[in-house]
């Protein structure tokens, strides 16, 4: 079956530090890949996505590139802010008719300190 | 601009009690989902619906039932609550247009404790 493995946290960084959160996946088909973010007390919201190999998703200074050869979709940001403190989830949706389910990783909690 | 609204936000039940969680979306989305979030487990899909009057099982459906009588509402029922159902429940919706597809919009969650 499909699965997503992401680095476990918590991750604590100082403001303006570089962020990488690793995500690798296994899928039976050709999946679309996502990063969702959950701020404290809120539901998840889509941060970025990529639907085919070598696509780069980007939003709010975050980036992730779909690497089919390494089955990875690592999240990066060059300079984090306190407001980026949240839980980040990597997810995939497999291809094919009837593929509605999103498969999530366990989440990585990021804390950014001033 | 409400988006996805879940009620209630918090609930405490005793083992064996029943309850219904309501999810309402105002974006005219076709697809709706119920997830549960447990520490260290990520989100797991309970049930989902691809249109009014249709429902299907997800990854962890046991102990739950759902109904989608109206397009904008998706109800999650617990007939006989168990402590293992203590969790945070999230509803999500998704459109089917080219622009909306593959973007799930989540509610703020319902925190349920079963004693």
């Amino acid at each position: 079956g499909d699965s997503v493995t992401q680095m476990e946290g918590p991750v604590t960084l100082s403001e303006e530090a570089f962020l990488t959160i690793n995500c690798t996946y296994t899928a039976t088909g050709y999946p679309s890949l996502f990063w969702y973010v959950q701020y404290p007390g809120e539901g998840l919201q889509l941060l970025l996505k990529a639907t085919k190999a070598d696509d780069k998703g980007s939003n709010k200074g975050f980036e992730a590139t779909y690497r089919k050869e390494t089955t990875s979709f690592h999240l990066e940001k060059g300079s984090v802010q306190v407001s980026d403190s949240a839980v980040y989830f990597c997810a995939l949706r497999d291809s094919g008719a009837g593929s509605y389910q999103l498969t999530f990783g366990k989440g990585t909690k990021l804390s950014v300190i001033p | 601009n409400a988006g996805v609204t879940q009620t209630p936000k918090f609930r405490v039940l005793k083992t064996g009690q029943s309850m219904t969680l309501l999810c309402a979306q105002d974006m005219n989305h076709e697809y709706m989902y119920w997830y549960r979030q447990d520490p260290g487990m990520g989100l797991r899909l309970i049930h989902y619906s691809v249109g009014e009057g249709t429902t299907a099982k997800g990854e962890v459906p046991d102990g739950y039932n759902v109904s989608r009588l109206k397009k904008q509402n998706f109800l999650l029922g617990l007939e006989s609550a168990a402590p293992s159902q203590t969790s945070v429940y999230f509803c999500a919706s998704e459109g089917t247009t080219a622009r909306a597809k593959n973007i799930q919009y989540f509610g703020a969650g319902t925190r349920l404790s079963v004693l």
Side-chain angles (χ1 to χ4, degrees):
Chain A
D2 298 342
S3 67
V4 174
T5 302
Q6 60 182 103
M7 62 186 286
E8 296 194 18
V11 174
T12 302
L13 295 174
S14 297
E15 207 165 20
E16 299 184 2
F18 185 86
L19 169 70
T20 299
I21 301 178
N22 290 337
C23 172
T24 58
Y25 68 90
T26 59
T28 53
Y30 196 142
S32 295
L33 302 174
F34 309 86
W35 277 101
Y36 277 82
V37 59
Q38 184 180 29
Y39 298 103
E42 299 183 9
L44 280 70
Q45 55 185 274
L46 180 68
L47 181 60
L48 53 84
K49 65 175 181 173
T51 58
K52 60 183 187 295
D54 300 325
D55 268 1
K56 178 186 284 188
S58 61
N59 186 24
K60 299 181 180 180
F62 290 89
E63 294 182 340
T65 300
Y66 190 143
R67 300 290 188 197
K68 193 169 188 294
E69 65 276 12
T70 54
T71 62
S72 64
F73 193 53
H74 305 320
L75 182 68
E76 296 182 336
K77 186 174 186 183
S79 177
V80 294
Q81 305 300 313
V82 172
S83 57
D84 294 326
S85 297
V87 181
Y88 293 82
F89 292 91
C90 186
L92 71 81
R93 169 179 273 170
D94 216 333
S95 57
S99 293
Y100 301 102
Q101 180 166 341
L102 275 177
T103 300
F104 286 90
K106 294 182 178 181
T108 302
K109 184 176 182 179
L110 170 67
S111 296
V112 180
I113 55 177
Chain B
N1 191 12
V4 179
T5 303
Q6 292 183 231
T7 52
K9 289 183 168 38
F10 304 95
R11 186 72 186 268
V12 178
L13 291 178
K14 294 181 180 178
T15 297
Q17 287 185 319
S18 63
M19 78 162 295
T20 299
L21 282 66
L22 171 63
C23 177
Q25 53 96 1
D26 62 1
M27 296 173 282
N28 200 34
H29 285 170
E30 289 293 332
Y31 303 162
M32 296 187 75
Y33 307 84
W34 275 107
Y35 294 90
R36 59 178 289 172
Q37 183 180 32
D38 302 293
M41 298 290 291
L43 274 76
R44 293 180 293 171
L45 183 65
I46 305 171
H47 285 280
Y48 64 96
S49 168
V50 298
E52 182 178 320
T54 70
T55 63
K57 294 180 180 179
E59 182 184 354
V60 288
D62 294 342
Y64 305 95
N65 56 76
V66 288
S67 64
R68 183 110 181 259
L69 299 180
K70 294 183 178 180
K71 185 177 182 179
Q72 63 267 34
N73 296 336
F74 195 30
L75 279 63
L76 178 71
L78 286 73
E79 289 188 350
S80 180
S84 60
Q85 295 177 303
T86 293
S87 187
V88 181
Y89 292 85
F90 287 100
C91 176
S93 72
E94 178 183 349
T96 55
T97 63
R99 183 176 181 179
K101 192 170 172 56
N102 271 329
I103 302 174
Q104 292 192 10
Y105 293 84
F106 284 79
T110 295
R111 187 173 296 274
L112 174 67
S113 293
V114 182
L115 306 178

